[in-house]
């Protein structure tokens, strides 16, 4: 989903439901159909890192840098295809950063919870509270995390009634960071996960801060962060993420 401004400059929620597995299948089919040339070394290094993640239950980041149309997504597709054909269980998640300025700066991570955003008769807060990792033993902390998620996603007010979001406090931002990290950890507890964040060069500062926090919080879970980005923005992105994902 996205949160956009309409022609009258009023905030409205735009929900776009598409089965995540179909989106991933489309991505892999499109990329794998292209010729794979001259990337065997990079592929072997990436797969070796993925095997280490499975073996040691740790986090690893695959930073893929190059100019436009250099084959970054093709390499990502080949990595995912190789993992899929390995016969070992992996969870794949594909999210994207957008060059469009969105009301919610959390867009790529928001895609991880898209299934809880639409459908179902239960209240949104209830659906969010059942996401992996958010079933906290401390009920008050669990409530704070869900409320912070809704605030960060712009879902805590009714824009159709002219309600405007209130600025998030530092405590709410911290709770949202903790919630996202808990969700990723919860997903990785089910099975090793490869999280692909496409077009990272478009990420807003808050997304890079969140990604760095998630990387620090997930060093002891089986997580592969796959981070393709354009070379003209790579230095700035890596500086923002340092030290967790640039090592």
């Amino acid at each position: 989903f996205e949160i956009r401004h309409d022609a009258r400059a009023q905030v409205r929620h735009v929900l776009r439901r598409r089965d995540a597995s179909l989106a991933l299948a489309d991505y892999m089919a499109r990329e794998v159909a292209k010729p794979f040339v001259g990337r065997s070394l990079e592929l072997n290094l990436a797969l070796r890192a993925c095997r280490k993640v499975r073996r040691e239950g740790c986090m690893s980041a695959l930073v893929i840098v190059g100019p436009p149309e250099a084959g970054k997504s093709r390499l990502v597709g080949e990595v995912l295809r190789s993992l899929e054909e390995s016969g070992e269980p992996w969870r794949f998640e594909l999210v994207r950063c957008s060059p469009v300025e969105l009301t919610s700066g959390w867009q790529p991570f928001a895609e991880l919870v898209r299934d809880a955003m639409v459908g179902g008769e239960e209240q949104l807060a209830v659906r969010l509270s059942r996401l992996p990792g958010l079933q906290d033993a401390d009920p008050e902390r669990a409530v704070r995390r869900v409320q912070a998620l809704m605030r960060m996603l712009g879902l805590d007010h009714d824009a159709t009634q002219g309600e405007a979001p209130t600025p998030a406090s530092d405590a709410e931002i911290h709770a949202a960071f903790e919630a996202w990290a808990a969700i990723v950890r919860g997903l990785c507890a089910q099975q090793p996960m490869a999280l692909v964040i496409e077009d990272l060069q478009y990420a807003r500062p808050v997304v890079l801060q969140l990604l760095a926090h998630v990387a620090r919080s997930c060093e002891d879970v089986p997580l592969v962060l796959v981070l393709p980005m354009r070379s003209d923005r790579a230095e700035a992105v890596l500086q923002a993420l340092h030290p967790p994902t640039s090592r």
Side-chain angles (χ1 to χ4, degrees):
F1 68 95
E2 296 178 354
I3 303 172
R4 296 179 177 174
H5 290 278
D6 64 16
R8 295 175 297 175
Q10 293 180 335
V11 176
R12 63 185 176 91
H13 299 137
V14 180
L15 297 180
R16 301 182 306 167
R17 179 61 186 264
R18 188 183 187 201
D19 187 274
S21 62
L22 291 179
L24 181 63
D26 288 349
Y27 175 88
M28 291 181 64
R30 182 181 68 250
E31 296 303 331
V32 173
K34 302 174 184 177
F36 186 69
V37 180
R39 293 290 185 270
S40 297
L41 175 60
E42 291 88 344
L43 175 62
N44 289 334
L45 289 173
L47 294 178
R48 185 164 63 185
C50 293
R51 287 193 292 269
K52 179 181 178 181
V53 165
R54 281 197 63 90
R55 183 175 63 252
E56 300 183 9
C58 62
M59 188 278 295
S60 184
L62 306 180
V63 179
I64 303 173
V65 178
E69 306 301 325
K72 300 182 294 297
S73 295
R74 178 64 184 90
L75 176 58
V76 172
E78 193 67 21
V79 170
L80 298 183
R81 185 190 66 80
S82 299
L83 293 179
E84 186 178 48
E85 294 181 351
S86 69
E88 298 176 324
W90 280 90
R91 180 189 184 99
F92 299 145
E93 290 287 347
L94 172 66
V95 301
R96 297 179 184 275
C97 298
S98 173
V100 180
E101 187 74 9
L102 301 174
T103 303
S104 172
W106 309 79
Q107 177 220 3
F109 280 90
E111 294 182 32
L112 289 176
V113 297
R114 55 184 167 263
D115 288 339
M117 295 295 101
V118 292
E121 298 181 354
E122 293 178 308
Q123 291 184 344
L124 176 59
V126 175
R127 298 200 301 272
L128 287 174
S129 69
R130 292 178 178 169
L131 287 168
L134 291 188
Q135 297 85 11
D136 200 291
D138 182 343
E140 292 185 2
R141 181 166 59 183
V143 170
R144 286 197 302 271
R145 288 180 173 180
V146 170
Q147 290 175 339
L149 273 182
M150 295 183 66
R151 171 67 63 87
M152 295 302 103
L153 294 173
L155 301 174
D156 63 332
H157 65 286
D158 189 349
T160 63
Q161 300 299 319
E163 296 180 10
T166 56
S169 65
D170 289 344
E172 288 172 324
I173 294 175
H174 176 74
F177 273 44
E178 290 298 318
W180 288 119
I183 290 171
V184 174
R185 289 184 64 89
L187 292 172
C188 293
Q190 297 174 346
Q191 62 186 131
M193 179 168 71
L195 173 58
V196 181
I197 307 180
E198 278 277 343
D199 296 322
L200 195 60
Q201 70 273 2
Y202 296 133
R204 294 174 62 178
V206 67
V207 171
L208 297 178
Q209 294 167 14
L210 173 56
L211 179 56
H213 177 81
V214 168
R216 287 193 298 271
S217 302
C218 295
E219 290 186 338
D220 59 342
V221 298
L223 170 65
V224 180
L225 293 172
V226 185
L227 310 175
M229 69 191 81
R230 294 184 179 181
S231 50
D232 58 345
R233 285 283 300 153
E235 183 176 357
V237 170
L238 292 176
Q239 285 179 349
L241 294 177
H242 185 80
T245 61
S246 59
R247 61 189 180 187

